[in-house]
């Protein structure tokens, strides 16, 4: 994606680099979609094949890896891995639930709000990893069916994640490639995410909210929860929250201070590790650093690395250039048609397959369409891609990693979420959010 | 289910074998499994809550989980993964099995019908009796 077209002459057996790169690309994505082999393994194998087949040289493969995305993801993962041990997430959830006096509908709204806000500021997967168990505990205490609550947590996490640069991996990738800042995302996607969030609460109320009921004695039990006891380490809490506040301040000032998000996130991670390392002996420090790094989701990181190389292969061979031209022909080079097409195609694609490979492919395609539309108009396409990819994740249980994390935990806790029943409700609701986004794009940018 | 628990508490035993109508061994129920069932799933499942201090005494939740057990039959709750020992098996096998598990050892006849259950104490008592003879 950074690439001047190099001359291609060394592809094996003198085959067409276009065909070879496309074959590797299609094969890699097809195997990823089957989910039979871990996606990180498949992406790395695909990346290796791009190099061994001669489509890419190693240095070109490395140049294709967006280290800004990798650095931002890793830095935030380290910060969250340390922060979560403080119990802050349980604390916030309990405070929110007590604020609505453990009313069942109020509980659904509050858990959704907490999830959406945390997903906007942190990674969605981490957010739901921490919110799903609390959700299950509170619904258990109130003797409520947890399914509507877990469903709303999934939706809230994907909608909240759409609102900011750091909320969802597609946004991180788009922001990095298109040089869009934290504030750009917040001001352009924040308002529509808020509207979609409020809009989604309406069907939630009609389907579940108005029928939910909890016995007064069970609500009293939840009201007796002591949120302060959820905090396990006050010192850690203060240190983590200070660093997170600094990092978010850094993101919002990234344009003024002239620094990229990866630097800010990595520096924040190093700062938090330093604060934790104070007053610790050498052995304890090693333990701390080892554990903090071990909690980074390396599968996701290596998946990104492999995908970036695979996409670099099809980019260099010219396949994506052809795709970009085809899209332009199809939409007649009209900005509005192109934006709405990107929005809907990415939403449906992201509901059915992982949105990360889709976005990784679409980024260079949109970059190639930039000359056609000009710098400010092309931003409309970026917002369409981001909204489609993030909100589309709500369309099915496999649409986003966060959905699978919630489903996995629910299953282990004896409350399985089934694929088809989930999709029967989630897909129409997702389409509703995309319709609202189309209206937003049309009113604001076209 | 709750009747079985009452019986186990009355007899002061932690395990009881479950058989079908014809006496064929099905599995074991244990007081520990019942205790496990009272813990909220949100804490028990992998990746669940590690700190439940903020919940307070949690009596409401625990007793409601106990009430939920009332709908279950013992057979739904029995651990059916315990291979019974055959009546002709050597005593060494019984000793090994008991040494490697926390549960008592059911013994069945050729027709699969339960003959009895060997406890650690019964086995040790047997060894002690052999020695003093």
């Amino acid at each position: 994606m950074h690439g001047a077209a190099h001359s291609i002459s060394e592809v094996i057996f003198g085959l067409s680099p276009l065909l070879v790169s496309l074959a590797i690309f299609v094969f890699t994505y097809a195997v990823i979609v089957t989910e039979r082999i871990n996606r990180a393994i498949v992406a790395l194998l695909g990346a290796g094949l791009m190099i061994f087949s001669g489509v890419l040289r190693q240095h070109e493969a490395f140049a294709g890896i967006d280290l800004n995305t990798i650095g931002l993801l890793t830095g935030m993962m380290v910060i969250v891995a340390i922060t979560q041990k403080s119990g802050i997430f349980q604390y916030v959830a309990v405070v929110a639930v007590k604020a609505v006096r453990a009313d069942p509908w109020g509980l659904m709204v509050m858990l959704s709000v907490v999830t959406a806000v945390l997903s906007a500021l942190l990674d969605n997967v981490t957010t739901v990893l921490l919110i799903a168990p609390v959700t299950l505990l509170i619904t258990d205490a109130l003797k409520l069916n947890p399914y509507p609550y877990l469903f709303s947590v999934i939706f809230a996490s994907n909608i909240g994640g759409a609102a900011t640069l750091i909320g969802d991996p597609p946004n991180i990738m788009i922001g990095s490639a298109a040089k869009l800042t934290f504030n750009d995302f917040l001001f352009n996607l924040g308002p529509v995410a808020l509207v979609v969030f409020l809009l989604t609460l309406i069907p939630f109320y009609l389907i579940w909210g108005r029928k939910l009921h909890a016995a007064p004695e069970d609500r009293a039990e939840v009201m007796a929860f002591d949120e302060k006891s959820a905090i396990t380490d006050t010192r850690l809490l203060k240190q983590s929250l200070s660093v997170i506040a600094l990092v978010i301040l850094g993101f919002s000032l990234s344009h003024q201070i002239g620094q990229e998000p990866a630097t800010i996130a990595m520096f924040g991670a190093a700062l938090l590790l330093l604060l934790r390392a104070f007053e610790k002996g050498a052995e304890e420090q090693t333990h701390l650093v080892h554990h903090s790094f071990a909690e980074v989701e390396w599968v996701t990181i290596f998946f990104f690395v492999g995908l970036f190389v695979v996409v670099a292969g099809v980019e260099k061979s010219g396949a994506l250039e052809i795709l970009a031209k085809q899209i332009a022909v199809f939409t007649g080079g009209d900005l509005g048609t192109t934006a709405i097409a990107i929005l809907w195609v990415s939403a449906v694609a992201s509901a059915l397959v992982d949105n990360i490979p889709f976005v990784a492919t679409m980024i260079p395609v949109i970059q190639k369409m930039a000359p056609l539309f000009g710098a400010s108009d092309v931003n409309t396409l970026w917002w369409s891609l981001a909204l489609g990819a993030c909100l589309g994740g709500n369309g099915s249980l496999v649409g986003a990693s966060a959905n699978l994390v919630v489903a996995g935990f629910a299953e282990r806790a004896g409350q399985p979420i089934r694929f088809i029943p989930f999709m029967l409700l989630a897909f129409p609701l997702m389409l509703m959010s995309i319709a609202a986004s189309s209206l937003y794009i049309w009113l604001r940018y076209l | 289910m709750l009747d079985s628990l009452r019986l186990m508490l009355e007899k002061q035993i932690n395990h009881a074998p479950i058989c079908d109508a014809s006496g064929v061994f099905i599995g074991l129920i244990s007081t520990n499994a019942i205790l496990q069932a009272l813990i909220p799933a949100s804490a028990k499942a992998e990746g669940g809550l590690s700190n439940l201090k903020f919940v307070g005494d949690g009596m409401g939740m625990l007793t409601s989980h106990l009430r939920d057990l009332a709908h279950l039959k013992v057979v739904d709750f029995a651990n059916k993964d315990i291979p019974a020992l055959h009546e002709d098996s050597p005593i060494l096998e019984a000793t090994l099995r008991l040494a490697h598990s926390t549960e008592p050892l059911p013994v069945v006849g050729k027709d699969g019908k339960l003959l009895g259950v060997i406890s650690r104490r019964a086995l040790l008592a047997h060894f002690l009796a052999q020695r003093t003879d």
Side-chain angles (χ1 to χ4, degrees):
Chain A
M1 54 200 62
H2 301 280
H6 295 260
S7 64
I8 303 166
S9 53
E10 314 99 349
V11 173
I12 46 165
F13 311 131
L15 289 167
S16 146
L18 187 68
L19 289 181
V20 171
S21 69
L22 269 179
I24 296 170
F25 175 85
V26 169
F27 179 73
T28 307
Y29 278 45
V31 180
I32 290 172
V33 169
T34 64
E35 295 183 355
R36 293 292 297 272
I37 300 174
N38 182 290
R39 55 187 190 155
I41 302 175
V42 183
L44 286 177
L45 281 175
L49 289 177
M50 282 290 182
I51 301 171
F52 280 123
S53 65
V55 174
L56 291 174
R57 303 299 302 259
Q58 182 182 281
H59 69 270
E60 292 167 326
F62 284 169
I65 300 167
D66 182 358
L67 286 176
N68 196 31
T69 295
I70 305 288
L72 176 52
L73 272 172
T74 316
M76 290 308 285
M77 282 173 184
V78 171
I79 293 174
V80 174
I82 298 173
T83 306
Q84 60 164 311
K85 295 199 170 65
S86 67
I88 177 70
F89 300 95
Q90 287 90 326
Y91 175 89
V92 172
V94 173
V95 168
V97 169
K98 285 173 78 171
V100 291
R101 301 189 317 284
D103 168 69
W105 166 241
L107 169 67
M108 189 180 280
V109 174
M110 284 315 256
L111 283 176
S112 302
V113 169
V114 168
T115 308
V117 171
L118 288 176
S119 294
L121 299 178
L122 308 167
D123 164 50
N124 290 0
V125 169
T126 315
T127 304
V128 298
L129 215 52
L130 298 164
I131 294 298
V134 190
T135 304
L136 217 55
L137 178 78
I138 295 169
T139 52
D140 191 358
L142 292 172
K143 301 194 183 66
L144 292 164
N145 175 9
Y147 183 77
Y149 293 90
L150 294 172
F151 193 101
S152 59
V153 161
I154 290 178
F155 261 70
S157 100
N158 289 318
I159 296 171
T164 66
L165 167 74
I166 51 172
D168 215 354
N171 287 6
I172 297 180
M173 286 192 281
I174 293 167
S176 175
K179 300 269 174 271
L180 293 164
T181 64
F182 185 81
N183 294 349
D184 290 335
F185 273 88
L186 193 61
F187 297 144
N188 286 284
L189 297 186
V192 63
L194 182 64
V195 169
V196 167
F197 178 79
L198 295 173
L199 203 60
T200 312
L201 288 178
I202 298 169
F204 284 175
Y205 180 75
L206 295 174
I207 299 166
W208 295 307
R210 58 191 178 141
K211 296 177 205 150
L212 293 168
H213 177 75
E217 64 270 22
D218 295 329
R219 287 174 61 176
E221 190 176 1
V222 171
M223 288 307 288
F225 279 10
D226 173 29
E227 61 273 14
K228 289 192 193 76
S229 306
I231 302 293
T232 52
D233 187 339
T234 318
R235 198 178 138 89
L236 167 63
L237 178 72
K238 286 178 186 157
Q239 292 170 334
S240 317
L241 290 187
S242 311
V243 169
I244 290 179
L246 263 180
V247 166
I248 290 174
L249 182 73
F251 287 146
S252 58
L253 295 176
S254 62
H255 190 65
Q256 285 85 339
I257 58 178
Q259 296 300 339
E260 300 265 354
T263 308
I264 296 164
M266 276 295 187
F267 191 73
L271 192 62
L272 186 52
L273 282 168
L274 176 70
L275 289 172
R276 296 305 296 158
F278 270 136
E279 296 164 24
K280 280 192 168 70
E283 200 173 321
E284 267 186 295
Q285 285 191 27
T286 310
H287 190 72
L288 162 80
V289 175
H290 181 82
H291 272 262
S292 306
F293 287 160
E295 287 193 37
V296 169
E297 292 159 55
W298 291 110
V299 171
T300 307
I301 302 293
F302 278 104
F303 179 53
F304 271 95
V305 168
L307 274 180
F308 279 133
V309 175
V310 172
V311 172
V314 277
E315 187 186 7
K316 187 191 167 196
S317 72
L320 296 184
E321 183 113 39
I322 297 171
L323 181 64
K325 279 184 185 143
Q326 284 302 313
I327 293 175
V329 167
F330 178 73
T331 61
D334 175 61
L335 178 69
T337 317
T338 314
I340 301 297
I342 287 175
L343 178 65
W344 285 84
V345 170
S346 25
V348 173
S350 301
L352 303 177
V353 296
D354 198 328
N355 57 14
I356 293 168
F358 180 80
V359 171
T361 317
M362 281 306 287
I363 284 173
V365 173
I366 293 182
Q367 281 173 332
K368 288 182 198 325
M369 290 197 284
L372 199 66
F373 297 111
S376 73
D377 279 354
V378 82
N379 282 354
T380 307
L381 303 184
W382 292 125
W383 304 136
S384 302
L385 177 65
L387 284 171
C390 294
L391 299 178
N394 273 330
S396 83
L397 217 45
V398 295
S401 312
N403 310 8
L404 289 169
V405 166
V406 174
F409 181 75
E411 175 119 42
R412 293 197 297 278
Q415 303 285 347
I417 300 175
R418 299 270 162 251
F419 186 86
I420 299 287
F422 178 88
M423 193 165 173
L424 284 177
L425 182 58
F427 200 82
L429 287 181
M430 179 278 285
L431 291 181
M432 180 187 83
S433 71
I434 296 302
S437 305
S438 306
L439 193 65
Y440 176 82
I441 295 273
W442 184 64
L443 288 174
R444 181 154 179 193
Y445 305 106
L446 301 176
Chain B
M1 185 65 230
L2 295 187
D3 292 339
S4 318
L5 177 60
R6 272 188 208 102
L7 195 65
M8 286 166 78
L9 295 180
E10 204 177 285
K11 302 270 183 203
Q12 300 197 346
I13 51 172
N14 284 318
H15 297 87
I18 308 296
C19 299
D20 68 8
S22 63
V24 171
F25 174 73
I26 298 173
L28 279 178
I29 57 163
S30 69
T31 47
N32 188 42
I34 298 171
L35 206 56
Q36 289 278 341
L38 303 188
I39 301 172
S42 45
K44 219 171 15 183
E46 191 195 333
L49 299 164
S50 53
N51 169 27
L52 280 183
K53 274 187 210 142
F54 64 90
V55 172
D57 77 352
M59 263 313 272
M61 221 182 328
L62 297 169
T63 50
S64 112
H65 290 159
L66 185 67
R67 273 198 299 278
D68 294 342
L69 294 184
H71 308 296
L72 292 176
K73 295 202 163 105
V74 272
V75 64
D76 301 324
F77 216 79
N79 179 356
K80 300 180 189 99
D81 295 331
I82 297 173
L85 200 67
H86 195 263
E87 58 181 325
D88 298 334
S89 305
I91 200 112
L92 176 61
E93 193 181 339
T95 312
L96 286 171
R97 285 274 307 273
L98 277 173
H100 291 132
S101 109
T102 53
E103 277 154 331
L105 193 52
V107 180
V108 296
K110 287 192 176 61
D111 48 6
K113 286 186 183 165
L114 184 74
L115 299 173
V117 174
I118 310 178
S119 70
R120 279 176 185 67
R121 281 187 223 181
L123 188 71
L124 288 169
H126 174 74
F127 288 138
L128 207 58
Q130 295 285 321
R131 208 191 83 112
T132 49
D133 274 355

